[in-house]
Amino acid sequence: MQYLWMIVAGVCGGIIGGMGMGGGTLLIPILTILLGWSQLAAQTTNLVAFLPMALVSIVIHTKHKLVDFKALLWVTLPALATTCVASFVAPKLEGDLLQKMFGWFIAVVGVVMLGKTIFDWIKSKSNKTKMPPKSKSKSIF
Amino acid sequence: MKEKFEEKIWGENNAFSMTKKIWLVIGSLVAGICTGLFGGGGGMLIVPLLTTLYGLEQDKAHATALATIFPLCCISSIFYLVGAGWEYQNGLVVSLGVVVGGIVGSFALRKIPKRMLGVIFYILMIGGGVKMIIG
């Protein structure tokens, strides 16, 4: 039964992650709040689980020609440097502190992203009444 | 000369100015810190970077962000596993679920109304974050 909930948690995180929306920000709170895992265990699991999932997703996205490799280099190279430092520090921090920091992180990012999503949504709706939709993402709504 | 060079490098994205490059690198540094410190979430920061600063479409930005954080997570997981170890049994069960979900998500990327899903997802995120801060 315990394993069933773990799989359900994984599938939820995976769907969001496969869409490139940051599945970890969903998977980690599910694991810690609902299943009672420690923050560090949830983070480690999220990192490791992401690897095979991302590989499959990247292959599919590359086939659909959705991956822009020039943009990829610009973002990956600087980020690699800071990731090394931060992931060296994280396991040494106290669990409670790490969880609080993570809480602030997802709360702030959540508020900003929610605001941006709603703002874009309203903007694209008001545009739609004036002119025909141009891009694919606008035509969904 | 410089414009030609820019065009050669960036193709149709030649509006990619120096200021934007600097901001893109700064944003990437921050996304790297978040990925390392929080074991994920870097993708959420990289998607808006790619759309606003690099000018990618939403779908492409999502796919590229995923490919971008892959090497970051490789490095990060090594540091985590060496630094703290892992309950691999439970972890692998969750990972199995993530793989299944990931495949579904990748195929659904072009079909699902992303904004609606986004709104629900962000509200859940805020709720989870507040719960974690309060403890």
Side-chain angles (χ1 to χ4, degrees), chain B:
Chain B
M1 181 66 190
K2 192 175 171 257
E3 274 171 13
K4 253 192 177 169
F5 176 73
E6 294 259 301
E7 219 176 85
K8 208 173 169 186
I9 301 266
W10 299 114
E12 64 230 70
N13 283 327
N14 58 359
F16 191 57
S17 66
M18 198 62 201
T19 329
K20 283 186 176 175
K21 278 178 204 160
I22 292 170
W23 278 112
L24 191 67
V25 169
I26 292 173
S28 309
L29 293 173
V30 174
I33 292 176
C34 293
T35 305
L37 200 56
F38 303 129
M44 310 213 53
L45 305 179
I46 291 170
V47 172
L49 283 181
L50 290 175
T51 53
T52 54
L53 295 175
Y54 195 84
L56 281 185
E57 295 162 37
Q58 200 69 23
D59 285 357
K60 281 191 176 178
H62 276 113
T64 307
L66 203 61
T68 302
I69 41 179
F70 181 73
L72 305 184
C73 287
C74 285
I75 298 276
S76 241
S77 12
I78 293 170
F79 274 102
Y80 271 65
L81 293 176
V82 171
W86 190 41
E87 286 176 50
Y88 65 92
Q89 213 171 3
N90 290 346
L92 286 178
V93 174
V94 175
S95 305
L96 182 72
V98 171
V99 173
V100 174
I103 295 169
V104 175
S106 300
F107 279 111
L109 181 62
R110 285 170 164 271
K111 287 159 199 145
I112 286 182
K114 258 200 303 297
R115 286 204 185 99
M116 182 60 88
L117 189 70
V119 168
I120 298 167
F121 171 51
Y122 299 136
I123 290 172
L124 282 177
M125 251 176 84
I126 297 167
V130 170
K131 174 86 175 63
M132 285 176 153
I133 296 166
I134 296 169

Side-chain angles (χ1 to χ4, degrees), chain A:
Chain A
M1 196 59 197
Q2 185 72 8
Y3 286 126
L4 181 71
W5 287 118
M6 287 180 194
I7 288 189
V8 171
V11 170
C12 290
I15 290 177
I16 302 287
M19 297 172 72
M21 290 168 89
T25 43
L26 186 66
L27 182 62
I28 293 172
I30 290 177
L31 289 177
T32 55
I33 295 174
L34 299 181
L35 301 184
W37 287 33
S38 79
Q39 180 70 21
L40 198 61
Q43 290 192 10
T44 310
T45 299
N46 179 58
L47 277 172
V48 177
F50 174 84
L51 299 178
M53 191 278 287
L55 243 163
V56 174
S57 291
I58 290 168
V59 169
I60 296 169
H61 289 328
T62 309
K63 268 186 191 161
H64 290 162
K65 296 205 184 334
L66 287 171
V67 179
D68 187 316
F69 286 97
K70 274 178 200 157
L72 186 144
L73 278 182
W74 269 94
V75 179
T76 301
L77 294 180
L80 264 177
T82 47
T83 297
C84 288
V85 178
S87 54
F88 178 74
V89 171
K92 295 180 168 45
L93 293 175
E94 206 193 316
D96 271 3
L97 176 68
L98 195 60
Q99 184 157 22
K100 279 213 166 67
M101 283 164 68
F102 182 82
W104 276 106
F105 171 64
I106 60 170
V108 170
V109 173
V111 169
V112 172
M113 297 298 280
L114 183 64
K116 189 185 175 299
T117 309
I118 292 173
F119 179 77
D120 286 352
W121 199 342
I122 292 168
K123 209 169 70 177
S124 76
K125 266 197 175 166
S126 64
N127 278 351
K128 209 175 170 183
T129 53
K130 284 171 204 156
M131 56 184 114
K134 273 179 191 164
S135 77
K136 207 169 174 134
S137 60
K138 274 178 189 166
S139 66
I140 296 172
F141 292 94

